[in-house]
Amino acid sequence: MQWLDALVRPFERYADARSAKSHGIVAFVSFCIFVGVIALGFVPVTRRIETSGYSTADLQAATTREEVDTILQAFDPVVDSVMLLSILDYVFIVAGFFLFFSLHSVCLKALAGHDRLVLIPKIGMALTVASRLLDSLENLWVILIYTNPDDYATILIGLMNNSEALKWMVVSVEYPMLGTAIALALLTRFTPLFDGRSESPQ
Protein backbone atom coordinates (compact mmCIF):
# COMPACT_ATOMS: atom_id res chain seq x y z
CA MET A 1 0.00 0.00 0.00
CA GLN A 2 3.01 2.32 0.32
CA TRP A 3 3.15 2.82 -3.45
CA LEU A 4 -0.53 3.83 -3.43
CA ASP A 5 0.04 6.31 -0.61
CA ALA A 6 2.96 7.81 -2.53
CA LEU A 7 0.81 8.08 -5.67
CA VAL A 8 -2.08 9.89 -4.01
CA ARG A 9 -0.10 12.03 -1.54
CA PRO A 10 0.05 15.04 -3.93
CA PHE A 11 -3.75 14.88 -4.28
CA GLU A 12 -4.13 14.85 -0.50
CA ARG A 13 -1.90 17.92 -0.23
CA TYR A 14 -4.06 19.65 -2.85
CA ALA A 15 -7.20 18.86 -0.86
CA ASP A 16 -5.66 20.06 2.42
CA ALA A 17 -4.42 23.32 0.90
CA ARG A 18 -7.92 24.81 0.86
CA SER A 19 -11.06 24.60 2.95
CA ALA A 20 -14.08 22.55 1.95
CA LYS A 21 -15.89 25.83 1.22
CA SER A 22 -13.15 26.94 -1.18
CA HIS A 23 -13.25 23.59 -2.96
CA GLY A 24 -17.03 23.93 -3.16
CA ILE A 25 -16.73 27.35 -4.82
CA VAL A 26 -14.19 26.04 -7.33
CA ALA A 27 -16.48 23.09 -8.06
CA PHE A 28 -19.47 25.40 -8.63
CA VAL A 29 -17.57 27.72 -10.99
CA SER A 30 -16.07 24.74 -12.84
CA PHE A 31 -19.51 23.13 -13.14
CA CYS A 32 -20.94 26.32 -14.69
CA ILE A 33 -18.08 26.42 -17.22
CA PHE A 34 -18.40 22.66 -17.82
CA VAL A 35 -22.13 22.89 -18.59
CA GLY A 36 -21.76 26.19 -20.44
CA VAL A 37 -19.15 24.78 -22.81
CA ILE A 38 -21.48 21.88 -23.61
CA ALA A 39 -24.66 23.91 -24.07
CA LEU A 40 -23.26 27.07 -25.66
CA GLY A 41 -20.19 25.64 -27.37
CA PHE A 42 -20.25 21.95 -28.21
CA VAL A 43 -23.89 21.76 -29.27
CA PRO A 44 -24.02 24.62 -31.84
CA VAL A 45 -20.46 24.06 -33.13
CA THR A 46 -21.04 20.32 -33.54
CA ARG A 47 -24.24 20.99 -35.47
CA ARG A 48 -22.30 23.27 -37.80
CA ILE A 49 -19.64 20.61 -38.34
CA GLU A 50 -22.26 17.94 -39.01
CA THR A 51 -23.49 19.90 -42.05
CA SER A 52 -20.41 18.38 -43.72
CA GLY A 53 -21.95 14.95 -43.29
CA TYR A 54 -19.49 13.94 -40.58
CA SER A 55 -18.67 14.81 -36.98
CA THR A 56 -15.39 14.88 -35.07
CA ALA A 57 -16.58 11.66 -33.41
CA ASP A 58 -16.50 10.04 -36.85
CA LEU A 59 -12.92 11.24 -37.30
CA GLN A 60 -11.90 9.85 -33.90
CA ALA A 61 -13.52 6.51 -34.75
CA ALA A 62 -11.86 6.24 -38.18
CA THR A 63 -9.20 3.53 -38.30
CA THR A 64 -7.76 3.79 -41.83
CA ARG A 65 -6.10 6.58 -43.75
CA GLU A 66 -8.77 6.33 -46.45
CA GLU A 67 -11.54 6.93 -43.92
CA VAL A 68 -9.68 9.82 -42.33
CA ASP A 69 -8.92 11.43 -45.70
CA THR A 70 -12.58 11.24 -46.73
CA ILE A 71 -13.66 12.94 -43.50
CA LEU A 72 -10.96 15.61 -43.78
CA GLN A 73 -12.08 16.48 -47.30
CA ALA A 74 -15.65 16.84 -46.08
CA PHE A 75 -14.44 19.01 -43.16
CA ASP A 76 -12.74 21.51 -45.49
CA PRO A 77 -15.69 23.98 -45.64
CA VAL A 78 -16.16 23.83 -41.83
CA VAL A 79 -12.53 23.58 -40.72
CA ASP A 80 -12.85 26.79 -38.67
CA SER A 81 -15.60 25.14 -36.63
CA VAL A 82 -13.46 22.03 -36.19
CA MET A 83 -10.63 24.21 -34.84
CA LEU A 84 -13.04 26.01 -32.51
CA LEU A 85 -14.32 22.68 -31.22
CA SER A 86 -10.75 21.62 -30.40
CA ILE A 87 -10.22 24.80 -28.39
CA LEU A 88 -13.52 24.30 -26.58
CA ASP A 89 -12.49 20.72 -25.86
CA TYR A 90 -9.43 21.91 -23.94
CA VAL A 91 -11.56 24.39 -21.96
CA PHE A 92 -13.91 21.48 -21.22
CA ILE A 93 -11.00 19.30 -20.10
CA VAL A 94 -9.63 21.94 -17.71
CA ALA A 95 -13.09 22.72 -16.27
CA GLY A 96 -13.78 19.00 -15.81
CA PHE A 97 -10.44 18.52 -14.11
CA PHE A 98 -11.09 21.21 -11.50
CA LEU A 99 -14.73 20.11 -11.07
CA PHE A 100 -13.83 16.50 -10.34
CA PHE A 101 -10.75 17.39 -8.30
CA SER A 102 -12.72 19.82 -6.14
CA LEU A 103 -15.57 17.36 -5.55
CA HIS A 104 -13.07 14.65 -4.62
CA SER A 105 -11.32 17.12 -2.30
CA VAL A 106 -14.57 17.81 -0.44
CA CYS A 107 -15.16 14.06 -0.15
CA LEU A 108 -11.58 13.56 1.01
CA LYS A 109 -12.12 16.00 3.87
CA ALA A 110 -15.45 14.38 4.79
CA LEU A 111 -13.88 10.89 4.87
CA ALA A 112 -10.63 11.98 6.55
CA GLY A 113 -11.35 9.90 9.67
CA HIS A 114 -11.96 6.69 7.72
CA ASP A 115 -8.67 5.09 6.69
CA ARG A 116 -10.14 2.71 4.11
CA LEU A 117 -12.94 4.85 2.69
CA VAL A 118 -10.63 7.81 2.15
CA LEU A 119 -8.83 5.84 -0.54
CA ILE A 120 -11.85 6.13 -2.84
CA PRO A 121 -11.60 9.91 -3.49
CA LYS A 122 -7.81 9.62 -3.66
CA ILE A 123 -8.01 6.95 -6.35
CA GLY A 124 -10.74 9.00 -8.03
CA MET A 125 -8.33 11.92 -8.26
CA ALA A 126 -5.71 9.70 -9.92
CA LEU A 127 -8.33 8.51 -12.42
CA THR A 128 -9.29 12.12 -13.15
CA VAL A 129 -5.67 12.96 -13.98
CA ALA A 130 -5.42 9.91 -16.24
CA SER A 131 -8.69 10.52 -18.10
CA ARG A 132 -8.00 14.23 -18.67
CA LEU A 133 -4.47 13.47 -19.86
CA LEU A 134 -5.76 10.88 -22.32
CA ASP A 135 -8.49 13.27 -23.50
CA SER A 136 -5.86 15.98 -24.05
CA LEU A 137 -3.67 13.59 -26.03
CA GLU A 138 -6.61 12.42 -28.14
CA ASN A 139 -7.45 16.02 -28.95
CA LEU A 140 -3.80 16.72 -29.80
CA TRP A 141 -3.63 13.82 -32.29
CA VAL A 142 -6.85 15.08 -33.94
CA ILE A 143 -5.41 18.59 -34.25
CA LEU A 144 -2.17 17.27 -35.77
CA ILE A 145 -4.21 15.33 -38.34
CA TYR A 146 -6.64 18.00 -39.53
CA THR A 147 -4.07 20.83 -39.52
CA ASN A 148 -1.88 18.84 -41.93
CA PRO A 149 -4.43 16.91 -44.03
CA ASP A 150 -2.06 16.23 -46.94
CA ASP A 151 0.97 14.99 -45.04
CA TYR A 152 0.06 13.80 -41.54
CA ALA A 153 1.81 10.72 -40.15
CA THR A 154 -0.37 7.60 -40.40
CA ILE A 155 0.71 6.61 -36.88
CA LEU A 156 -1.40 9.50 -35.58
CA ILE A 157 -4.54 7.55 -36.47
CA GLY A 158 -3.51 4.67 -34.20
CA LEU A 159 -2.51 7.07 -31.42
CA MET A 160 -5.87 8.81 -31.71
CA ASN A 161 -7.81 5.52 -31.61
CA ASN A 162 -5.80 4.13 -28.70
CA SER A 163 -6.06 7.34 -26.68
CA GLU A 164 -9.82 7.39 -27.18
CA ALA A 165 -10.23 3.72 -26.19
CA LEU A 166 -8.08 4.13 -23.07
CA LYS A 167 -9.89 7.35 -22.15
CA TRP A 168 -13.29 5.68 -22.16
CA MET A 169 -11.94 2.73 -20.17
CA VAL A 170 -10.74 5.12 -17.46
CA VAL A 171 -13.91 7.23 -17.58
CA SER A 172 -16.05 4.09 -17.12
CA VAL A 173 -14.40 3.69 -13.72
CA GLU A 174 -13.84 7.39 -12.93
CA TYR A 175 -17.50 8.45 -12.93
CA PRO A 176 -18.77 5.62 -10.70
CA MET A 177 -15.82 6.26 -8.38
CA LEU A 178 -16.86 9.91 -8.00
CA GLY A 179 -20.46 8.89 -7.37
CA THR A 180 -19.34 6.40 -4.72
CA ALA A 181 -17.12 9.01 -3.03
CA ILE A 182 -19.99 11.54 -2.89
CA ALA A 183 -22.42 8.92 -1.55
CA LEU A 184 -19.99 7.82 1.17
CA ALA A 185 -19.24 11.41 2.14
CA LEU A 186 -22.96 12.11 2.51
CA LEU A 187 -23.53 8.92 4.50
CA THR A 188 -20.73 9.64 6.94
CA ARG A 189 -22.02 13.20 7.32
CA PHE A 190 -25.70 12.48 7.86
CA THR A 191 -25.91 8.92 9.24
CA PRO A 192 -25.19 10.07 12.83
CA LEU A 193 -28.36 12.19 12.65
CA PHE A 194 -30.39 9.00 12.39
CA ASP A 195 -28.54 6.59 14.67
CA GLY A 196 -28.36 8.73 17.77
CA ARG A 197 -24.62 9.42 17.56
CA SER A 198 -24.85 13.08 16.60
CA GLU A 199 -23.30 15.58 18.98
CA SER A 200 -25.50 17.30 21.52
CA PRO A 201 -26.07 21.04 21.01
CA GLN A 202 -23.67 23.15 23.06
Side-chain angles (χ1 to χ4, degrees), residues 152-195:
Y152 63 89
T154 304
I155 193 175
L156 291 174
I157 299 174
L159 290 171
M160 175 181 66
N161 295 152
N162 291 334
S163 296
E164 182 183 27
L166 288 172
K167 178 192 72 176
W168 288 116
M169 284 176 59
V170 175
V171 167
S172 68
V173 180
E174 177 193 12
Y175 278 65
M177 188 71 74
L178 175 61
T180 301
I182 293 174
L184 289 173
L186 290 173
L187 282 173
T188 57
R189 173 66 180 84
F190 293 109
T191 298
L193 298 176
F194 300 100
D195 62 12

Side-chain angles (χ1 to χ4, degrees), residues 99-118:
L99 172 60
F100 277 54
F101 240 61
S102 298
L103 291 174
H104 278 303
S105 295
V106 173
C107 294
L108 194 59
K109 288 180 177 294
L111 298 171
H114 305 269
D115 292 340
R116 293 181 181 274
L117 296 182
V118 79

